[in-house]
Amino acid sequence: MQGRSLKKPWGGRFSQETDGLVEVFTQSVHCDVRLYKEDIKGSIVHCEMLMRQGIIRSEEGDKIIQALLEIEREIEEGAFIPDPALEDIHMNIEARLIEKVGPVGGKLHTARSRNDQVVLDERLYLREEVRAVVEGIRHLQKSLVVRAREHLDSLLPGFTHLQHAQPVRLAFYLLAYVEMLERDRERFMDSLKRVNVCPLGAGALAGTPLPIDRDWVAKKLGFPRVSPNAMDTVSDRDFILEFLANAAITMIHLSRMAEELVVWSSPEFSFVELPDSYCTGSSIMPQKKNPDVAELVRGKTGRAVGNLVSLLVVVKGLPLAYNRDLQEDKEALFDTVDTLKMSLRVMAGMYEKVYFKVQEMEKRAKEGFTNATDLADYLVKKGVPFRDAHKMVGELVAYALDKEEPLEDLPLEEMKMVCPMVEEDVYEILELRHGVDGRGSYGGTAKNQVEERLEVWEEQLKNA
Ligand code: ARG
């Protein structure tokens, strides 16, 4: 008679069993089982609405809700193993419900389709995860700000093209990342208004003739808005794309920070000593201490970018409305959520414990003629046009390079040969701290500027 497909909620019109290979190929429960809590929460509210609207009787609804709560417990305790033949977590829960309460369980899916149910679960899930990501960003920002306070007066060379450019405070450096992360945080927060929209009630693609109350459902589930077009609702995945894009940008930022820690911990730089607890050794070279955690953050950025591209390609060219391709959204989403949250945590841990070799940094800050711009600005103050000053100082640098001496070690007479307007007061200008604290324009690296911004951050993160 009828085979396994009868077991399936949609088995009615089928006369052949689903091919075993097709079952394996089409199932998604191995991954969407993660949505079980959201699925049950959504189903309970849906059921309450059906009762309120008189679409199902309250004794029926009570039974369904009771059983749904039991199923939640069963899943939590590992007593309920989803069956891949039932494709996804949604049909697994429904089948278990009917198994528990009998045919009345079949009333739960009234005025609902898996198409709106899946998006509901994803939206409920994602809004919580966005909040968790934002917390993770806050935590990392806090770690950076604590270290910035500690290193307000530590100096290091600032780089452009990875060549010594101008000296900066270490606090300024670390706060640059705090600012970067703040834009990431804002992007996630902003995305919430598009995630937090209630899709339930869209049905398969066109709404339902039954007298449902979408506003009540939305309110009960804490959604400030209801989606206004059923077709758009079931085919929209841009709320996930947006999350994946925001996550990819954040991961790219983390990978830049990670790369810096890798480079800075090499003996060639020797700016930091990474904590042993965040490094690993080599199975062959006994002397090795490798910055694997930073390398993996850098490496896992590939996944985050890949997940974004993967879903973009899935959605590209899909006609309205729901298409099964959309089932492919989940792995990308879950993987990025996990990767991003973990990366934020390990980066925070690493910055909390990293040892900054400030003496080495300061020594290097003086190398590479990082005070050359200060000399040019000094000449500008004496009335020399900046372009001429630039040329003179360039010549003086070439001369000093030849002598293998820094600018500040050149005797005044020698400097005067190239820059005649230089006076004794030039030596003060050429001092490292003078250069750093001279850059007091808004957003500059001078102590007053950095300290002011640091205070703003300390205040903002106080209650984070
Ligand atoms: N497993 C599917 C998914 O996650 C559920 C939706 C199925 N809808 C359908 N009409 N086949 O996308």
Side-chain angles (χ1 to χ4, degrees):
M1 241 193 40
Q2 279 141 321
R4 260 187 108 186
S5 57
L6 182 68
K7 199 173 138 192
K8 296 184 169 59
W10 42 257
R13 63 101 73 209
F14 286 77
S15 55
Q16 278 180 2
E17 288 184 33
T18 312
D19 191 289
L21 188 61
V22 172
E23 267 178 358
V24 174
F25 183 66
T26 56
Q27 69 86 26
S28 59
V29 72
H30 71 279
C31 118
D32 60 29
V33 64
R34 254 174 97 149
L35 296 172
Y36 80 92
K37 260 184 182 307
E38 289 77 12
D39 199 68
I40 287 174
K41 184 175 177 179
S43 286
I44 290 176
V45 174
H46 178 65
C47 184
E48 286 170 349
M49 183 276 291
L50 294 175
M51 288 153 75
R52 275 174 57 91
Q53 297 299 102
I55 300 172
I56 66 173
R57 293 210 309 277
S58 57
E59 317 86 76
E60 296 172 332
D62 287 343
K63 251 194 204 164
I64 291 171
I65 291 171
Q66 205 42 49
L68 284 170
L69 291 170
E70 281 168 28
I71 296 169
E72 184 171 25
R73 230 168 304 130
E74 288 172 11
I75 299 176
E76 246 144 46
E77 289 163 4
F80 172 52
I81 313 290
D83 178 2
L86 288 168
E87 190 183 309
D88 54 27
I89 189 62
H90 323 290
M91 289 211 293
N92 265 278
I93 290 175
E94 192 185 351
R96 178 78 185 122
L97 174 68
I98 295 170
E99 201 173 275
K100 283 171 91 76
V101 302
V104 69
K107 295 203 173 190
L108 172 64
H109 212 54
T110 310
R112 186 176 74 169
S113 156
R114 264 183 308 150
N115 297 352
D116 55 349
Q117 185 181 358
V118 172
V119 202
L120 172 69
D121 295 1
E122 289 181 324
R123 287 176 184 273
L124 287 171
Y125 165 83
L126 190 53
R127 71 182 185 188
E128 289 314 309
E129 292 298 356
V130 166
R131 286 177 189 129
V133 165
V134 163
E135 242 171 66
I137 292 177
R138 276 298 193 219
H139 181 71
L140 175 54
Q141 285 179 309
K142 223 170 175 173
S143 314
L144 289 162
V145 165
V146 168
R147 301 309 305 268
R149 168 58 70 189
E150 209 179 298
H151 288 287
L152 183 60
D153 288 319
S154 308
L155 306 183
L156 76 161
F159 302 87
T160 62
H161 313 265
L162 205 58
Q163 307 292 319
H164 283 203
Q166 290 169 350
V168 294
R169 317 193 97 74
L170 180 52
F172 183 65
Y173 216 115
L174 297 171
L175 288 183
Y177 285 131
V178 175
E179 303 289 347
M180 216 185 226
L181 289 163
E182 182 62 5
R183 293 190 295 278
D184 294 331
R185 195 189 69 85
E186 283 174 9
R187 266 186 290 272
F188 282 112
M189 290 302 290
D190 187 65
S191 73
L192 273 178
K193 54 177 186 267
R194 285 170 293 280
V195 175
N196 221 355
V197 179
C198 187
L200 204 66
L205 76 163
T208 170
L210 294 162
I212 59 169
D213 186 346
R214 296 193 62 195
D215 290 325
W216 187 85
V217 169
K219 208 163 164 202
K220 196 76 200 279
L221 289 170
F223 287 111
R225 284 195 294 154
V226 172
S227 64
N229 180 303
M231 262 203 175
D232 173 44
T233 304
V234 293
S235 74
D236 168 21
R237 292 295 182 280
D238 34 276
F239 69 101
I240 298 180
L241 285 174
E242 188 174 354
F243 174 79
L244 294 178
N246 293 342
I249 295 172
T250 307
M251 282 299 295
I252 296 255
H253 287 162
L254 297 186
S255 87
R256 296 180 67 178
M257 298 165 74
E259 163 66 4
E260 207 149 71
L261 289 176
V262 171
V263 173
W264 283 12
S265 64
S266 75
E268 279 66 30
F269 258 85
S270 202
F271 278 8
V272 296
E273 179 72 35
L274 292 173
D276 276 10
S277 55
Y278 272 68
C279 292
T280 59
S282 156
S283 55
I284 177 168
M285 297 168 282
Q287 86 284 8
K288 291 290 297 257
K289 175 178 157 185
N290 298 326
D292 303 50
V293 173
E295 290 171 280
L296 278 169
V297 168
R298 192 176 59 185
K300 282 172 190 288
T301 302
R303 282 174 188 250
V305 174
N307 287 336
L308 167 63
V309 174
S310 149
L311 189 61
L312 281 169
V313 177
V314 166
V315 176
K316 178 190 175 293
L318 284 188
L320 286 176
Y322 178 83
N323 296 275
R324 190 63 181 272
D325 315 46
L326 294 173
Q327 179 172 293
E328 289 296 308
D329 61 352
K330 286 166 209 71
E331 260 159 302
L333 173 61
F334 295 151
D335 185 56
T336 287
V337 164
D338 294 342
T339 303
L340 177 58
K341 286 201 303 188
M342 199 61 172
S343 301
L344 286 165
R345 280 177 63 185
V346 294
M347 287 302 280
M350 207 146 43
Y351 277 107
E352 272 156 29
K353 297 184 191 75
V354 67
Y355 175 73
F356 292 106
K357 299 179 175 174
V358 291
Q359 278 178 343
E360 191 63 29
M361 284 182 173
E362 185 154 336
K363 194 178 114 216
R364 304 285 186 83
K366 293 179 189 158
E367 293 172 6
F369 302 95
T370 54
N371 50 5
T373 323
D374 299 286
L375 180 54
D377 289 337
Y378 166 87
L379 295 176
V380 165
K381 282 186 188 155
K382 302 244 174 205
V384 183
F386 182 74
R387 275 293 152 237
D388 298 337
H390 187 289
K391 187 161 180 283
M392 279 181 206
V393 177
E395 283 165 17
L396 198 63
V397 166
Y399 176 81
L401 266 173
D402 243 22
K403 280 192 75 182
E404 292 181 20
E405 273 178 8
L407 292 175
E408 59 273 22
D409 285 1
L410 297 176
L412 192 60
E413 318 78 74
E414 288 178 26
M415 281 201 222
K416 273 178 174 296
M417 287 176 342
V418 187
C419 316
M421 52 297 288
V422 159
E423 308 288 345
E424 193 57 44
D425 59 355
V426 73
Y427 291 104
E428 193 191 318
I429 296 297
L430 293 173
E431 276 171 27
L432 180 64
R433 276 185 195 271
H434 187 280
V436 177
D437 283 326
R439 298 200 163 79
S441 55
Y442 178 74
T445 198
K447 184 162 183 167
N448 62 341
Q449 285 299 322
V450 176
E451 199 161 23
E452 219 172 276
R453 193 64 191 156
L454 187 56
E455 279 163 14
V456 169
W457 278 118
E458 284 169 338
E459 181 61 28
Q460 241 185 76
L461 294 173
K462 207 169 54 191
N463 303 315

